[in-house]
Amino acid sequence: MNIQDLLLKDAMIMDLQATTKEAAVDEMVARYKEIGVITDDALYRKDILAREAQSSTGIGEGIAMPHAKDSAVQRATVLFAKSQNGVAYDALDGQPVYLFFMIAAPEGANDTHLQALAGLSSLLINPQLVADLKQAQTPEDVQTLFANAQAVKDAKDAKEEAEEAAKAQAAAATPANDQKPFIVAVTACPTGIAHTYMAEAALKETAVKMGIDIKVETNGSEGVKHQLTADDIKRATGVIIAADKKVDMPRFDGKHLLNRPVIDGIKKPAELIQKTLDEEGSIYHATESQSSEEASADKKTLWSRIYQDLMNGVSNMLPFVVGGGILMAISFLLEQTVGAHSTTFIFLNSLGNNAFNFLIPVLAAYIAISIGDRPALMPGFVGGYMASQATASVLASKSPAGFLGGLAAGFIAGWVIVGLKKVFKNLPQTLDGLKPILIFPVLGLLIVGFIMYFMINPVFAQINLWLSTFLTHLGAGNALLLGAILGGMMSVDMGGPFNKAAYTFAIGVFTTTKDGSLMAAVMAGGMVPPLAIAVAASLFKNKFTGNERKQALANYVLGISFITEGAIPFAASDPLHVIVSSVIGSAIGGGLTQLWQITVPAPHGGIFVAPLANHGLLFVFAVLIGTFVSALILGLWRPVAKEAL
């Protein structure tokens, strides 16, 4: 696939009208939807804005490269857009953006797509091409400019590969004091589409101008390319890490290393190279230093770090929850017709139970690995398993520590390993190899096991038992209040900490008691916001712009599927009206599920698992009532859209 296959003429906007960042994104996303490149503009826009929230893709010099890879994209495409007056895009140099390259990549993009996208990204480092694009008048002009630039780059790449191979042979035969300075680098960005390859190109071109040999490893969506060998690292003067995500760091032990954001690789390549040559980077020690991802975590608040660690555990646990929970629910549905002793029921039920047995160990293990990296995986997993079992000792309890104990196990295991790394950081280098294979596994497991066995399990077993007893004897009024609170929490931040806290609490109760009543409350609460926005946009058309009405249609599907995040773009642009109305409707929906004593024995699925509920129709009514209350509040309260005035 060449550049022309990506730069569709129909997708180009030669006179972008937007003057703000949000309007520019909307205008480009609308063009993608218009020509059929994306099927769900709300989802694609959400992912574009999520990437922008990490760091602006306005890279300076009048260029922005917003990009996203998701299931809404039908084919890999680059939308070229040109603004005559410039757009205030929060670019890193603070200047307006005139040239836009919105990259859309399919969720399952193959290597051919990704290599073409990488090639396009690296072309934009050429200042002459950028200057020519600013003067382009037609889509044909744009395609011609890129075709010519690609031809020049292909010839240059072929020449460089031959020279690199020759240099490697010459270096092996040349005395060290006669060799040109040599450094290595790694570039990576969260999505691995644009910045990764632009940083690579900038570093390589600058190194040529400075008379320096460099090898750049890219950690992009197409995988690791130009991987650094042990010999490369050994003979390098120093290492440049230009990355916004975690990369393989232990291999650089003992080397002078600069760890910077990927944008510095694009904007400050000469500075990074010179500082590396001058050995200004601190010497990296694998047991003391941190990867790029971990280093950035130091700047976060304590709550942000805790939330990140918790979400790492929850996100890895969810496949077990969804897969096991839905299969168990289906088995209960079939039990009514095929009987409890049928092979079909026993197979599905045992398969679901087997998946559920891993919930707490996986939760604890991945919380631990988020804190203490790979050495924390095993003690976290074992600590989680201990939390899932009733204690067999003088401290015996009929109830396991459960979900809460698993949370504790994950955080304890992670921080135990962090502590052990600090305790043994001055171990002689000859004994360094003992850390991962002996010291961390044995001492980590011993300490975590001791804390779990004698402290966490006994305490949390009693808390878990009390919680189960409390929920079992919960009065109708208290149940209604709890359902309303959990339902409302699902709408407070629509996928953020409050939403995840409510959902995690319901999962914990579900795994402990096998009672799906609170699952019904959070599911109803989470379905209301996107459905309410879709209904409000259909009933109160003058309160929404034309583009918003189009986006709202997708929320019918997202809402019935229990994907609350479909409401995020609307909440971001109008938080007061959208969030307040959503919380009210979600609280009503969640409360009604408890008033009508509805249980949903599945942790996900929305309307599609309603048949598994004990009162499926009442569950649907609870969602509909909450939806229409929220939609009416939003529609009546929200001001008329500007384009309708």
Side-chain angles (χ1 to χ4, degrees), residues 484-566:
I485 291 173
L486 291 175
M489 287 176 67
M490 294 296 289
S491 291
V492 170
D493 50 8
M494 302 175 186
F498 282 95
N499 175 286
K500 289 296 188 290
Y503 186 70
T504 301
F505 178 76
I507 288 290
V509 172
F510 187 42
T511 57
T512 300
T513 65
K514 297 298 186 289
D515 181 353
S517 59
L518 296 185
M519 287 307 313
V522 298
M523 197 176 297
M527 292 169 69
V528 165
L531 285 174
I533 288 167
V535 171
S538 298
L539 297 179
F540 302 91
K541 295 183 179 181
N542 65 326
K543 301 297 182 74
F544 295 82
T545 66
N547 191 43
E548 286 176 332
R549 290 196 297 272
K550 291 178 182 178
Q551 292 179 11
L553 291 175
N555 275 356
Y556 280 113
V557 177
L558 297 175
I560 65 172
S561 304
F562 184 35
I563 302 176
T564 316
E565 288 81 355

Side-chain angles (χ1 to χ4, degrees), residues 3-9 12 78 80 120 142-143 146:
I3 298 302
Q4 270 79 355
D5 293 327
L6 295 173
L7 283 164
L8 302 183
K9 290 191 292 184
M12 295 186 192
V78 176
F80 172 79
L120 174 65
V142 175
Q143 287 193 325
F146 271 107

Side-chain angles (χ1 to χ4, degrees), residues 309-611:
D309 299 332
L310 175 62
M311 286 304 101
N312 194 58
V314 171
S315 62
N316 283 284
M317 176 193 73
L318 279 181
F320 295 86
V321 174
V322 176
I326 290 179
L327 287 180
M328 286 175 62
I330 293 173
S331 74
F332 295 142
L333 191 65
L334 292 175
E335 182 185 13
Q336 301 173 17
T337 55
V338 300
H341 300 290
S342 72
T343 302
T344 302
F345 167 77
I346 294 172
F347 167 70
L348 290 175
N349 189 262
S350 60
L351 192 60
N353 271 299
N354 287 336
F356 254 50
N357 288 336
F358 285 94
L359 297 189
I360 297 175
V362 167
L363 173 73
Y366 281 92
I367 290 175
I369 203 172
S370 177
I371 299 169
D373 216 336
R374 193 177 303 170
L377 176 66
M378 184 274 291
F381 210 106
V382 175
Y385 178 77
M386 293 176 70
S388 68
Q389 307 297 310
T391 307
S393 70
V394 292
L395 303 171
S397 170
K398 295 181 180 179
S399 174
F403 199 79
L404 295 176
L407 289 174
F411 284 101
I412 290 168
W415 285 108
V416 162
I417 294 300
V418 170
L420 289 175
K421 286 181 179 180
K422 291 182 178 179
V423 169
F424 291 98
K425 67 180 180 180
N426 294 321
L427 201 66
Q429 192 170 2
T430 54
L431 300 177
D432 251 6
L434 293 178
K435 294 179 186 178
I437 64 172
L438 182 63
I439 295 175
F440 294 154
V442 174
L443 289 183
L445 180 59
L446 182 63
I447 295 171
V448 171
F450 180 89
I451 295 173
M452 291 300 298
Y453 191 81
F454 291 103
M455 299 167 63
I456 299 300
N457 274 6
V459 172
F460 280 90
Q462 292 304 313
I463 293 174
N464 206 31
L465 184 61
W466 173 84
L467 179 62
S468 299
T469 304
F470 169 75
L471 292 171
T472 302
H473 298 91
L474 195 63
N478 290 332
L480 192 151
L481 178 60
L482 181 59
I485 291 173
L486 291 175
M489 287 176 67
M490 294 296 289
S491 291
V492 170
D493 50 8
M494 302 175 186
F498 282 95
N499 175 286
K500 289 296 188 290
Y503 186 70
T504 301
F505 178 76
I507 288 290
V509 172
F510 187 42
T511 57
T512 300
T513 65
K514 297 298 186 289
D515 181 353
S517 59
L518 296 185
M519 287 307 313
V522 298
M523 197 176 297
M527 292 169 69
V528 165
L531 285 174
I533 288 167
V535 171
S538 298
L539 297 179
F540 302 91
K541 295 183 179 181
N542 65 326
K543 301 297 182 74
F544 295 82
T545 66
N547 191 43
E548 286 176 332
R549 290 196 297 272
K550 291 178 182 178
Q551 292 179 11
L553 291 175
N555 275 356
Y556 280 113
V557 177
L558 297 175
I560 65 172
S561 304
F562 184 35
I563 302 176
T564 316
E565 288 81 355
I568 289 177
F570 296 87
S573 62
D574 185 12
L576 177 63
H577 300 102
V578 173
I579 293 177
V580 171
S581 59
S582 294
V583 168
I584 293 171
S586 293
I588 290 172
L592 287 175
T593 63
Q594 303 309 291
L595 177 65
W596 294 334
Q597 298 182 346
I598 301 169
T599 64
V600 177
H604 214 287
I607 199 71
F608 303 105
V609 296

Side-chain angles (χ1 to χ4, degrees), residues 171-454:
T174 303
N177 57 355
D178 292 336
Q179 295 178 13
K180 291 171 65 175
F182 176 69
I183 62 176
V184 295
V186 180
T187 63
C189 68
T191 52
I193 295 177
H195 289 56
T196 299
Y197 304 105
M198 294 186 75
E200 175 200 21
L203 288 166
K204 289 171 71 173
E205 288 195 9
T206 304
V208 170
K209 293 176 183 177
M210 296 175 66
I212 306 298
D213 283 343
I214 189 171
K215 182 174 180 180
V216 183
E217 173 184 299
T218 55
N219 289 5
S221 290
E222 55 178 330
V224 175
K225 296 292 183 182
H226 316 299
Q227 187 166 24
L228 301 176
T229 65
D231 183 63
D232 291 331
I233 298 169
K234 181 179 179 181
R235 70 186 184 91
T237 302
V239 182
I240 298 171
I241 303 295
D244 291 333
K245 71 175 186 179
K246 191 173 183 178
V247 298
D248 181 15
M249 297 293 286
R251 53 189 167 151
F252 301 122
D253 188 56
K255 304 296 294 188
H256 287 278
L257 184 145
L258 288 177
N259 198 335
R260 300 290 182 83
V262 68
I263 195 64
D264 281 2
I266 300 172
K267 303 299 294 180
K268 304 176 182 178
E271 176 187 323
L272 296 183
I273 291 172
Q274 190 58 54
K275 286 188 174 183
T276 301
L277 291 175
D278 295 340
E279 298 186 343
E280 291 187 23
S282 59
I283 296 179
Y284 177 83
H285 294 294
T287 57
E288 299 175 24
S289 301
Q290 297 168 303
S291 69
S292 56
E293 182 180 71
E294 293 166 325
S296 64
D298 289 342
K299 301 174 184 177
K300 298 179 180 178
T301 65
L302 177 61
W303 165 246
S304 296
R305 295 190 62 183
I306 292 173
Y307 178 67
Q308 175 184 302
D309 299 332
L310 175 62
M311 286 304 101
N312 194 58
V314 171
S315 62
N316 283 284
M317 176 193 73
L318 279 181
F320 295 86
V321 174
V322 176
I326 290 179
L327 287 180
M328 286 175 62
I330 293 173
S331 74
F332 295 142
L333 191 65
L334 292 175
E335 182 185 13
Q336 301 173 17
T337 55
V338 300
H341 300 290
S342 72
T343 302
T344 302
F345 167 77
I346 294 172
F347 167 70
L348 290 175
N349 189 262
S350 60
L351 192 60
N353 271 299
N354 287 336
F356 254 50
N357 288 336
F358 285 94
L359 297 189
I360 297 175
V362 167
L363 173 73
Y366 281 92
I367 290 175
I369 203 172
S370 177
I371 299 169
D373 216 336
R374 193 177 303 170
L377 176 66
M378 184 274 291
F381 210 106
V382 175
Y385 178 77
M386 293 176 70
S388 68
Q389 307 297 310
T391 307
S393 70
V394 292
L395 303 171
S397 170
K398 295 181 180 179
S399 174
F403 199 79
L404 295 176
L407 289 174
F411 284 101
I412 290 168
W415 285 108
V416 162
I417 294 300
V418 170
L420 289 175
K421 286 181 179 180
K422 291 182 178 179
V423 169
F424 291 98
K425 67 180 180 180
N426 294 321
L427 201 66
Q429 192 170 2
T430 54
L431 300 177
D432 251 6
L434 293 178
K435 294 179 186 178
I437 64 172
L438 182 63
I439 295 175
F440 294 154
V442 174
L443 289 183
L445 180 59
L446 182 63
I447 295 171
V448 171
F450 180 89
I451 295 173
M452 291 300 298
Y453 191 81
F454 291 103

